[in-house]
Each structure stands twice: as C-alpha cells, then as structure tokens.
C-alpha cells in the first residue's frame, strides 16, 4: 500500500516513514496570491527510466505522520526495459574495456550484447553476462524493507584487443525472442594507451561524491549538496580526462535502492565516455555480522552487494573490492578499507604485490588509493582519537609505501581537501613545495573526500600540524596530468568554479626506482 506507515528500524531508515519509500519528494508549500485565490499550484519533478511506471502521490501531515490524499494516473516510458546508463571500466588487461549497463530484461526475455567498432571501421558484436540480486541478498533495513526496489538486470560485456588510443563507438543491444532488437543510443570512448606509452594522460580522483536532484527534490540521505557541481565540472572538462577514480562512498543510497539508478543516470555523460573506476567505502559495505572490518550500519543493509553488482572492477574477487589497474604511465593500487589490511591478511599481501610488481620503466607513477584515511588527516575527528589517521592505518603500510617508493596516496571519508609534505613516520622528509625534483624521498598523502557529501562534520584541527601543508574546507577534486615519464602535474580544483586552488609538479628521472624489484628495494628510514 502506497500510504502505509512503517516505523523506523534503525538510524538509516529516514522519514517520510512510509512502508514503500518514494524515489524523491517535494514540499507543496505555495505562498502566493495565485494559490490563495485558486487553491492550485504546480511542482516540476524530473523522471528517469527506472524500468517501471511512475505515479505521484499527495500527502498531508508532514514526513512523520503522512496521510495519503491523492494519487495521480500512471506516467509510462515508451520502453521502460530499455538499456540505460552505461558504465565503462578498465578490464584486467590494458587493451580491454568493459561496459556495464542496466535494463529491465532478464536473460529469458532478451539476449544482451554490445555492437561496437573503431570509428569508420567494421562493427563487432560482443555478448554480455547478466547479474542481479534480490531482497534476501540485502542484510538489513532499510535495504531489505522500506528501501527495497528491484535493481533491474546488470549486464557486462568485455571488448577485447583494442588498439591503443583508438576511438571506438558502441551501442547497447537486446535481442528479443522474435528477433527484434532493442537499442540504446550511440556512445563513444578512447581505448587506453599502450603500457608505458609516453603521452599526455589525465586522471581525475575523488571520494564521497553521492548524488543530488537537479529538479530541487528532496531524497533519502539528502546530504550531498556538492555532487552536482562536481559532476558538471568533470563533464565540462571531459575532453581533457582519460579516467575517473571514485574512491568510496559512491552514491550514499544507504539502503534506498532506487538511488543507484539516480546516481548512474547522473554520471552517465562521464561513465559512458571514460573508465569510471570505483573503490569501496563504509556507505557501500559496512554492516554488523557480515565480515566487514567495521561493524556499523553505514551501508543501510546493502553490505556491498549493490556496489559490486552495479559497477565492474577488475578484481580477482569483486566482493573483496581490492584491485590494481594500469593506465599508460600510471599504476593504481586500490585498497578496501572496509576489509582488514593489516600484515598477515590477504589484502596486505595484495597491496605488497601490487606495489612491488609494477614495472617502473613503464609505470613510473605509482599511486595508492583507499577510502578511509590510512595515511594522514588533520580532521578534528581523528585528532580527538589522537591518531590523525584511521586507527592502525599506516603503521604497517608506511613501510610498504616507503620501500616501493609510492608517489602519492589518496583517501576519501573525510569531507575536505588536505595535502601533506612528503612524509614518513609523521616527519616531513622534505619540506612541502609546489615543485619536487630529484630522487624519491617519501609519499605525499592527499585527502580528497570533498566531492559532494556534506562538509559540516569535517572541520580541521586548529593545532599546528607539521606535516599538513595545504587545507581547504570546500567541495573539490584532484586532477593528475602525466606529461611524460618524468613530469607529473597535480591540481586540486574546486567544484563550484573548476579553478585550481592548489597544485604542484614532480620532475624525476626514476633511476632510483628502476633498480627496484620485489626483494632488492632497500627500506629507507629517517636515519638512513
């Protein structure tokens, strides 16, 4: 029943307290002479294809005591099952691109595939696999109760043997039993460069973006006011971006499953054009008794299932959500802070393997990424804990970063921006600067969790922290530009205007790391 009321089971079940949560809502607060005379008003709500018909309901009584007054006629899409919201991702090899999308067709109704090819060249057909999940896959409320909505069917196709830097076009297809084919519109992407290729390569990195409603509607977990600005700035600069890394707290659905569609629709102009690589955050994974490192309720009962299904990552086990991916001159090691990373664990072994196995002649720029701060943050929350990091975060990992000469480490979770000096064991090995040259000294740590979620609780400490060089309490993201094997530009941009507010360059010939392999990288200490 659309008007039935269900009392909240936990902190993530939010008002309006209806047993079937609305996708979004607006307040009908009309205060004008026209409304006073006629009693008529209007609202505008943007609808996206979510595989079902829509209706609008009018309630009185507010969010805590909603009373159903009226329900509209159904609003129907021409083909609600059509393929939508393609998401590109790097495959397990450099010359493979994966395309994931959502539809209303299960495998008995239609066969999913991708038609693709180089611009002006022959067309190919590649099959797609299909996944989904059901209410029982969820771990608790609201995902399993008032927030449940069928996610549709998630299809992934693998386009292989791509030519470096070549332009490709594609469209998503479903073949019905009667031979009819249902198509998406045509999209395009550029294939990855050859590993180690010396060319301009540009990467955007951020965490904690979420989604917001362009029509001004309210939604559940409505605390990502900066997300539209970030999304729009990236879209404006998309011709100068090769890949996006979103390191956790993806859409903040927190158990309201319709929000995954809202998010994939919001980022479609980006994710359909360049690889959109994600990491796991607390709002995707955490739930008591499910094996997550933190036993809190932050996923709203999702316990990682939607994130690992809606998006593809080239992980050996997608449920574990850690993986390596190379792009041209970059090696990215994406860790999962919601699973144990300490020495002796499977993830620790992955991190060391990822860092140690890189060929620095091909990928001179070695980047570590994780959601929670495993390095350094001067957020007041961490200061209160007396750690300036996630407890047990860097104690073992800093040995790996130093040994394998990790250039940069990125984190989200804290909703602000902060850059350290090149730091090791809480000491600046060299002074922070706008330019670094010469041999590697230590890793620079960056918090870039201000892509959209509320910054209200992420204030900086007033203490003078020696390793904290640049702080910004605003929404923004980072862009890395590798010009060649020895020159890298780092830029922090604010989301409201796209301008650069912090930057530095690295110039390095890397003779010190080219001799480095799994067993002959000497550990560097502050005394050496």
């Amino acid at each position: 029943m659309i008007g039935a009321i269900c009392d909240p089971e936990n902190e993530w079940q939010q008002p309006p307290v209806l047993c079937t949560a609305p996708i979004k809502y607006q307040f009908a607060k009309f205060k004008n002479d026209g409304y006073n005379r006629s009693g008529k008003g209007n609202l505008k709500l943007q609808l996206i294809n979510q595989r079902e018909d829509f209706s609008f309901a009018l309630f009185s009584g507010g969010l805590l005591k909603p009373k159903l007054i009226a329900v509209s006629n159904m609003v129907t899409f021409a083909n609600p099952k059509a393929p939508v919201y393609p998401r590109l991702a790097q495959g397990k090899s450099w010359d493979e691109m994966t395309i994931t999308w959502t539809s209303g067709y299960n495998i008995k109704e239609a066969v999913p595939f991708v038609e693709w090819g180089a611009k002006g060249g022959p067309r190919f057909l590649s099959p797609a696999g299909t996944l989904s999940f059901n209410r029982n896959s969820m771990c608790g409320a609201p995902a399993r109760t008032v927030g449940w909505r069928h996610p549709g069917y998630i299809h992934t196709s693998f386009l292989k043997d791509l030519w470096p830097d070549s332009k490709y076009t594609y469209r998503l297809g479903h073949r019905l039993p009667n031979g009819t084919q249902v198509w998406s519109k045509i999209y395009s992407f550029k294939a990855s460069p050859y590993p180690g290729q010396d060319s301009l390569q540009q990467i955007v990195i951020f965490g904690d973006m979420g989604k917001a409603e362009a029509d001004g509607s309210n939604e559940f977990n409505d605390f990502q006011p900066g997300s539209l600005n970030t999304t729009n700035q990236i879209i404006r600069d998309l011709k100068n971006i090769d890949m996006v890394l979103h390191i956790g707290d993806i859409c903040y659905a927190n158990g309201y499953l319709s929000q995954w569609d809202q998010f994939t629709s919001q980022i479609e102009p980006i994710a359909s054009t360049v690889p959109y690589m994600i990491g796991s955050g607390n709002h995707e994974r955490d739930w008591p008794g499910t094996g997550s490192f933190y036993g809190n309720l932050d996923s709203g009962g999702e316990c990682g299932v939607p994130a690992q299904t809606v998006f593809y990552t080239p992980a050996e086990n997608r449920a574990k959500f850690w993986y390596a991916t190379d792009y041209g001159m970059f090696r990215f090691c994406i860790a999962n802070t919601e699973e144990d990373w300490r020495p002796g664990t499977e993830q620790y072994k992955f991190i060391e393997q990822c860092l140690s196995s890189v060929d620095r002649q091909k990928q001179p720029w070695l980047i570590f990424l994780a959601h929670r701060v495993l390095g350094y943050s001067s957020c007041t929350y961490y200061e209160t804990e007396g750690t300036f990091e996630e407890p047990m975060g860097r104690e073992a990992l800093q040995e790996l970063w130093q040994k394998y000469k990790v250039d940069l480490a990125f984190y989200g979770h804290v909703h602000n921006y902060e850059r350290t000096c090149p730091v090791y064991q809480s000491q600046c090995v060299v002074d922070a600067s706008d330019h670094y040259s010469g041999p590697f000294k230590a890793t620079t740590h960056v918090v870039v969790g201000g892509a959209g979620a509320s910054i209200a609780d992420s204030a900086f400490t007033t203490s003078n922290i020696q390793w904290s060089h640049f702080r910004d309490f605003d929404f923004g993201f980072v862009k890395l530009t590798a010009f060649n094997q020895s020159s890298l530009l780092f830029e922090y941009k604010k989301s409201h205007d796209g301008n650069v507010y912090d930057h530095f360059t690295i110039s390095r010939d890397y003779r010190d790391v080219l001799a480095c392999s799994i067993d002959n990288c000497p550990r560097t200490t502050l005394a050496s």
Side-chain angles (χ1 to χ4, degrees):
M1 285 291 293
I2 194 171
I5 295 176
C6 288
D7 292 329
E9 293 185 36
N10 60 50
E11 63 188 87
W12 287 113
Q13 189 170 329
Q14 299 180 353
V17 292
L18 298 168
C19 295
T20 301
I23 291 172
K24 56 185 177 180
Y25 59 92
Q26 295 183 18
F27 293 103
K29 293 181 177 180
F30 303 110
K31 296 180 179 179
N32 56 68
D33 290 340
Y35 175 72
N36 291 338
R37 287 193 300 267
S38 68
K40 295 180 180 179
N42 64 78
L43 299 170
K44 292 184 179 180
L45 292 93
Q46 182 185 46
L47 300 183
I48 64 169
N49 189 346
Q50 292 187 263
R51 300 169 300 283
E52 298 287 350
D53 297 338
F54 287 86
S55 62
F56 299 89
L58 178 65
F59 289 87
S60 65
L63 301 180
L64 298 180
K65 295 181 179 180
K67 180 180 178 182
L68 182 63
I69 302 298
V71 179
S72 74
N73 295 328
M74 291 291 185
V75 177
T76 303
F77 277 80
N79 182 4
K81 292 188 175 185
V84 289
Y85 319 135
R87 286 89 70 184
L88 301 179
Q90 291 283 101
K92 290 186 177 180
S93 62
W94 71 269
D95 59 350
E96 179 180 68
M97 187 72 78
T98 70
I99 303 174
T100 300
W101 71 95
T102 306
S103 85
Y105 293 114
N106 65 38
I107 56 174
K108 294 181 180 179
E109 294 177 296
V111 177
F113 63 96
V114 175
E115 182 192 76
W116 63 284
K119 282 191 173 180
R123 313 306 293 168
F124 303 97
L125 299 181
S126 290
T130 300
L131 295 174
S132 190
F133 53 89
N134 57 40
R135 188 189 298 262
N136 291 333
S137 304
M138 304 293 94
C139 295
R144 200 167 186 166
T145 56
V146 301
W148 169 254
R149 189 175 185 280
H150 195 280
Y153 299 94
I154 314 301
H155 315 282
T156 300
S157 184
F158 299 83
L159 314 188
K160 300 174 183 279
D161 299 323
L162 304 179
W163 289 60
D165 289 324
S166 294
K167 296 287 185 67
Y168 290 87
T169 61
Y170 70 94
R171 58 176 177 167
L172 317 172
H174 290 264
R175 187 172 64 248
L176 304 179
N178 64 6
T180 303
Q181 294 177 331
V182 178
W183 296 104
S184 72
K185 68 179 185 179
I186 297 174
Y187 301 89
S188 64
F189 68 87
K190 185 181 76 170
S192 301
Y194 189 77
Q197 178 178 303
D198 196 341
S199 62
L200 187 70
Q201 295 157 18
Q202 300 170 100
I203 312 295
V204 164
I205 300 173
F206 56 81
D208 306 72
M209 184 168 78
K211 76 270 168 264
E213 294 294 338
D215 61 12
S217 294
N218 302 276
E219 58 187 10
F220 293 89
N221 312 305
D222 193 15
F223 53 79
Q224 302 113 56
S227 63
L228 288 177
N229 279 345
T230 300
T231 301
N232 292 336
Q233 288 297 347
I234 294 171
I235 292 171
R236 290 188 186 105
D237 193 37
L238 199 53
K239 65 181 182 299
N240 301 311
I241 296 171
D242 295 310
M243 186 164 71
V244 169
L245 286 153
H246 185 163
I247 49 174
D249 286 7
I250 307 302
C251 73
Y252 293 92
N254 296 346
Y256 291 91
L257 277 300
S258 66
Q259 301 305 303
W260 285 98
D261 283 316
Q262 298 292 116
F263 179 77
T264 52
S265 172
Q266 178 175 309
I267 66 164
E268 179 187 28
I270 304 168
S272 63
T273 306
V274 299
Y276 198 99
M277 313 302 294
I278 68 166
S280 181
N282 51 303
H283 286 282
E284 284 77 56
R285 178 64 184 91
D286 294 357
W287 193 259
T290 65
S292 60
F293 193 57
Y294 300 88
N296 57 50
L297 305 175
D298 287 356
S299 75
E302 294 182 6
C303 52
V305 175
Q308 70 198 39
T309 307
V310 172
F311 284 87
Y312 173 85
T313 59
E316 291 302 316
N317 183 331
R318 288 168 66 177
K320 294 177 179 176
F321 239 123
W322 57 72
Y323 62 95
T325 189
D326 294 338
Y327 189 92
M329 294 177 284
F330 289 98
R331 159 67 61 91
F332 298 102
C333 298
I334 295 93
N336 178 6
T337 56
E338 311 316 298
E339 303 284 344
D340 196 347
W341 61 82
R342 293 172 296 176
T345 64
E346 185 179 358
Q347 181 167 198
Y348 183 88
K349 295 173 184 176
F350 154 76
I351 293 171
E352 179 157 29
Q353 171 64 19
C354 184
L355 299 177
S356 67
S357 62
V358 62
D359 181 347
R360 295 301 282 270
Q361 192 160 7
K362 289 182 177 179
Q363 280 87 39
W365 307 112
L366 181 55
I367 315 294
F368 176 85
L369 306 101
H371 178 65
R372 293 176 186 258
V373 180
L374 301 184
Y376 297 83
S377 167
S378 61
C379 175
T380 53
Y381 171 79
Y382 285 129
E383 181 186 42
T384 301
E385 290 191 331
T387 61
F388 294 111
E389 57 164 323
E390 203 66 32
M392 304 176 291
R394 64 175 177 261
E395 275 63 25
L397 295 178
Q398 64 184 342
E399 298 299 321
L400 299 181
W401 299 328
Q402 195 70 8
K403 178 179 181 181
Y404 297 112
K405 298 177 169 52
V406 174
D407 295 290
L408 298 164
F410 288 93
Y411 315 98
H413 196 57
V414 176
H415 302 164
N416 59 33
Y417 169 77
E418 183 171 19
R419 167 166 71 101
T420 73
C421 61
V423 58
Y424 177 57
Q425 295 179 345
S426 299
Q427 300 293 317
C428 289
V429 177
V430 295
D431 291 338
S433 173
D434 291 338
H435 179 70
Y436 302 103
S437 60
F440 172 89
K441 296 294 185 182
T443 302
T444 296
H445 295 260
V446 181
V447 174
V448 62
S454 172
I455 60 176
D457 298 323
S458 296
F460 293 104
T461 175
T462 57
S463 303
N464 183 21
I465 307 300
Q466 181 254 352
W467 41 258
S468 181
H469 174 62
F470 190 100
R471 304 172 182 176
D472 189 47
F473 193 56
D474 204 349
F475 299 108
F477 56 94
V478 162
K479 184 177 181 181
L480 298 181
T481 302
F483 294 103
N484 50 49
Q485 299 280 349
S486 58
S487 182
L488 180 75
L489 171 64
F490 173 108
E491 297 173 297
Y492 163 66
K493 298 185 176 187
K494 290 197 181 188
S495 298
H496 74 269
D497 61 9
N499 293 334
V500 176
Y501 286 81
D502 183 34
H503 75 281
F504 65 90
T505 55
I506 301 175
S507 298
R508 207 172 273 158
D509 64 16
Y510 278 99
R511 280 175 291 183
D512 61 326
V513 296
L514 292 181
C516 188
S517 64
I518 291 177
D519 295 319
N520 67 11
C521 268
R523 290 184 184 271
T524 305
T525 69
L526 292 177
S528 61

